[in-house]
Amino acid sequence: MNVLVTGSGAREHALVWRIALSPSVKRVFAAPGNPGTAAMTDVARNVPLNPNPEAFEETARFCRQNDIELVVVGPENHLAAGLADYLRDMGIHVFGPGKRGTMLEASKAYGMDFARRYSIPHPRFESFETCDAALRYVEKTQGPWVIKTDGLALGKGVTIARDRGEALRTVREYMAEGAYGEAGRRIVFQEFLEGREVTAMALTDGDYMIPLPLARDHKRVGEGDLGPMTGGMGAFSPVDLTGEGSGLEDRIREEVLERAVAGLKSEGIDFRGLLYAGLMITKDGPKILEFNVRFGDPETQCVLPRIEGDFAGVLMACAGGRLRRYVEESSSAGGVPLSVRREACVTVVMASGGYPGAYRKGIPISGLDDTGLDIQGAVSGPEGRRQGEDRRQGEGEVLVFHAGTKTQDGALVTSGGRVLSVTALASSLDVALGLAYRKVESIRFDGAFYRRDIGK
Ligand code: GLY
């Protein structure tokens, strides 16, 4: 089948790469994609489609003209704009929820209230629509205060204020000064939870689900988890939860993922896509910090290399609302649709100096392979699939997923805050870290920085 993936980040590069490895896939189109997906010329091609509602018809026409059987929507703003609903109404299979399902992520207050309705363990929370009421709440409560914009803020719009002054400043910044525009019109306070965070993702057709391996990301810009929040500076998988209690993976599946899928179904929300649970593992077990409705970034870059099987076939079964049957058919044939490799995978984000604040763009990138678009392991086509298999026999596999890059006068330059996700899959986390950091050190651009403590 032919597949269209929307988006242009490292997460979408990883999706295009993994989908291209599926035996059921003939061609993958990335809309708009990035120089990494552009380099996968055997099976992938970039197409300049945009996700805005006025261009939905153009996307639908492209799908009809190119025999696209499945559209995988990458970023949340494409979903929030209604792309999945529009394409589904046109009879195209889509992996990604419609606008109703997207509310889980698009409104933090809705997501927390959903958790409360379906007994999904969650922190106490309060939401406010006026700045005065939010300020009064800070005055009469004790910190620390976890303050979030209700709406989408590109992974930012979250502050943990340890003193009252900072909490009051944050409320004013979000609500009165409009630091995040409409997203901060309403804010949510969440109880501050102690513990370690973990990301649980599941592929679902709204009825049945397949959980993906757990991952942990590093959200703050600085080593030791210091400094402002970012979209994510690195991630690793698997996550060893044995030190935090027994049976935690089962509890995450049963108390969070299954209850969420059942809750969506009982509300009549036809959720065909990726359910993301950002969790805190507390002494009382897992508690939901946030739901998202799309693949995590950078978690996807370290989870997909660990997945074996017909990934695109599973996404298609979700999009077609027949995941349970698909799994049953695989098991009666003596298999499972997806299996998880035992190896560890890590991804290290290389960012532009200044990120997550202001940064320069257009800076030449060197140290990638001869093509200038190094995607080692990001192989393409049947030939590439075989090469990928061979490469896994060695010390490990290195993949460089592109995010904030573009080609300018034939050269690769920076074009965003998070520039590359340098990923390695190997027999252990330590070996994977060694491989990833060796690759990172060979890539150069002025102002480049990365955290040296990913996976630690
Ligand atoms: N890594 C966090 C997110 O994808 O929202």
Side-chain angles (χ1 to χ4, degrees):
M1 68 176 150
N2 292 337
V3 182
L4 176 76
V5 177
T6 77
S8 61
R11 164 184 56 200
E12 285 78 23
H13 188 178
L15 281 164
V16 168
W17 165 76
R18 188 60 192 81
I19 287 168
L21 292 176
S22 287
S24 57
V25 169
K26 205 159 85 197
R27 288 195 70 80
V28 191
F29 295 89
N34 62 36
T37 51
M40 301 172 66
T41 49
D42 290 354
V43 289
R45 179 156 77 77
N46 286 359
V47 286
L49 298 171
N50 85 56
N52 300 330
E54 60 275 15
F56 284 177
E57 172 45 28
E58 193 191 342
T59 304
R61 198 173 332 115
F62 178 87
C63 292
R64 286 191 293 269
Q65 287 169 351
N66 291 278
D67 296 323
I68 303 290
E69 285 180 55
L70 173 67
V71 175
V72 178
V73 182
E76 60 275 20
N77 56 339
H78 297 192
L79 295 164
L83 180 62
D85 294 312
Y86 184 93
L87 295 176
R88 236 176 239 126
D89 285 349
M90 295 286 138
I92 297 164
H93 282 106
V94 183
F95 183 87
K99 272 188 172 181
R100 283 189 70 204
T102 302
M103 280 297 287
L104 270 188
E105 174 165 0
S107 165
K108 297 282 172 264
Y110 177 94
M112 281 294 113
D113 208 50
F114 176 88
R116 186 187 50 71
R117 283 202 296 285
Y118 295 101
S119 306
I120 297 167
H122 59 277
R124 287 192 303 276
F125 66 97
E126 294 271 355
S127 64
F128 294 93
E129 290 192 20
T130 69
C131 188
D132 283 349
L135 293 172
R136 277 198 301 277
Y137 176 82
V138 173
E139 294 290 4
K140 67 173 200 252
T141 51
Q142 295 303 317
W145 294 265
V146 180
I147 309 171
K148 297 185 172 183
T149 60
D150 183 57
L152 298 174
L154 295 172
K156 299 172 198 159
V158 179
T159 299
I160 300 173
R162 296 197 176 260
D163 65 71
R164 204 176 306 275
E166 189 187 1
L168 294 170
R169 269 196 309 281
T170 303
V171 169
R172 286 195 197 96
E173 186 190 319
Y174 285 10
M175 299 191 89
E177 294 157 25
Y180 295 98
E182 265 300 287
R185 204 178 48 75
R186 172 152 68 160
I187 63 167
V188 179
F189 289 92
Q190 270 181 3
E191 174 193 6
F192 176 80
L193 298 177
E194 302 272 3
R196 290 209 292 167
E197 287 188 39
V198 67
T199 298
M201 299 189 280
L203 308 167
T204 181
D205 66 352
D207 175 48
Y208 195 74
M209 57 143 207
I210 299 182
L212 294 174
L214 299 178
R216 175 168 288 146
D217 76 345
H218 297 262
K219 290 200 175 83
R220 291 190 183 266
V221 73
E223 280 150 30
D225 281 333
L226 298 174
M229 293 284 194
T230 68
M233 293 299 293
F236 61 96
S237 177
V239 180
D240 181 7
L241 293 178
T242 47
E244 278 138 296
S246 60
L248 280 168
E249 285 213 33
D250 290 344
R251 287 188 65 184
I252 290 171
R253 195 183 64 243
E254 287 156 22
E255 295 173 19
V256 180
L257 298 173
E258 286 177 0
R259 284 182 198 173
V261 171
L264 288 162
K265 189 176 173 189
S266 75
E267 298 203 355
I269 297 175
D270 188 11
F271 193 104
R272 304 177 184 202
L274 190 288
L275 183 66
Y276 172 116
L279 300 164
M280 184 69 86
I281 306 299
T282 70
K283 63 177 177 25
D284 300 321
K287 291 195 180 180
I288 186 83
L289 297 177
E290 63 175 0
F291 285 112
N292 292 324
V293 298
R294 37 75 195 171
F295 286 91
D297 187 350
E299 293 96 322
T300 300
Q301 292 89 299
C302 70
V303 166
L304 294 190
R306 298 191 60 227
I307 297 294
E308 287 200 316
D310 187 357
F311 181 63
V314 173
L315 299 186
M316 185 61 168
C318 292
R322 52 181 181 81
L323 185 59
R324 187 186 298 270
R325 194 154 29 98
Y326 186 88
V327 172
E328 282 167 4
E329 281 165 11
S330 299
S331 91
S332 53
V336 284
L338 296 179
S339 56
V340 179
R341 296 168 68 93
R342 283 212 308 278
E343 288 99 321
C345 192
V346 63
T347 192
V348 178
V349 170
M350 296 186 74
S352 298
Y355 175 79
Y359 51 83
R360 282 177 33 224
K361 296 181 185 175
I363 299 169
I365 302 171
S366 64
L368 296 175
D369 76 5
D370 307 343
T371 64
L373 299 170
D374 183 292
I375 46 169
Q376 291 180 48
V379 290
S380 52
E383 185 69 7
R385 280 171 200 143
R386 280 197 297 278
Q387 287 170 12
E389 292 306 314
D390 293 346
R391 189 172 285 113
R392 289 171 189 157
Q393 318 281 313
E395 192 186 0
E397 191 175 354
V398 176
L399 305 121
V400 180
F401 295 121
H402 288 231
T405 68
K406 68 174 184 178
T407 36
Q408 192 171 282
D409 304 326
L412 189 70
V413 300
T414 63
S415 67
R418 291 191 294 172
V419 177
L420 298 164
S421 272
V422 179
T423 304
L425 176 77
S427 55
S428 71
L429 186 58
D430 278 346
V431 178
L433 284 166
L435 278 176
Y437 279 112
R438 226 179 302 147
K439 184 70 202 170
V440 163
E441 279 152 23
S442 73
I443 299 172
R444 303 219 190 291
F445 51 92
D446 265 2
F449 77 94
Y450 53 89
R451 278 181 60 166
R452 290 173 169 77
D453 62 349
I454 301 302
K456 300 292 182 202

